[in-house]
Amino acid sequence: QVRLVESGGGLVQAGGSLRLSCAASGRTFSSYIMGWFRQAPGKEREFVATISASGGSTYYADSVKGRFTVARDNAKNTVYLQMNSLKPEDTAVYYCAAGSRRALATLSALYDYWGQGTQVTVSS
């Protein structure tokens, strides 16, 4: 069992930056791939970024590539999402997720555990 708690969301102006954190419980954090997803009002949850268990591999949605960076610190059981050059269309609830598979995954159904989400609002 893995419990995930996101933090770091808030209100920021377009062009600004935020760093989201996701703290995980449990001693097996380093064996899970981690993903970030987001859901805007009236829209389906969409993939944002994923990182391998070791942190050596990452993958991003085209909409955030070059602006967002995912990283993890296995010693702290924490995964991060650094978001730069934010746009109003980045406004959403952001969720972190943990998956027991080895390969990176962009589908939400392939993740086993989810956090409660943190709101990110980007004003124009």
Side-chain angles (χ1 to χ4, degrees), residues 11-84:
L11 173 64
V12 64
Q13 289 189 333
S17 298
L18 281 175
R19 188 177 81 155
L20 305 183
S21 299
C22 174
S25 65
R27 293 174 291 180
T28 58
F29 173 77
S30 60
S31 66
Y32 287 90
I33 64 167
M34 298 298 294
W36 285 97
F37 292 77
R38 66 187 182 186
Q39 188 166 18
K43 295 188 177 181
E44 293 187 353
R45 189 170 298 187
E46 66 173 359
F47 166 75
V48 174
T50 183
I51 187 166
S52 63
S54 67
S57 298
T58 58
Y59 186 78
Y60 298 91
D62 287 343
S63 58
V64 306
K65 200 172 297 182
R67 300 188 298 122
F68 290 11
T69 302
V70 59
R72 67 190 295 162
D73 185 339
N74 285 343
K76 296 182 178 180
N77 280 13
T78 302
V79 62
Y80 305 96
L81 185 68
Q82 177 67 45
M83 306 185 294
N84 299 329

Side-chain angles (χ1 to χ4, degrees), residues 101-113:
R101 57 185 290 112
R102 287 192 174 185
L104 297 180
T106 63
L107 296 177
S108 59
L110 297 178
Y111 288 83
D112 304 298
Y113 303 101

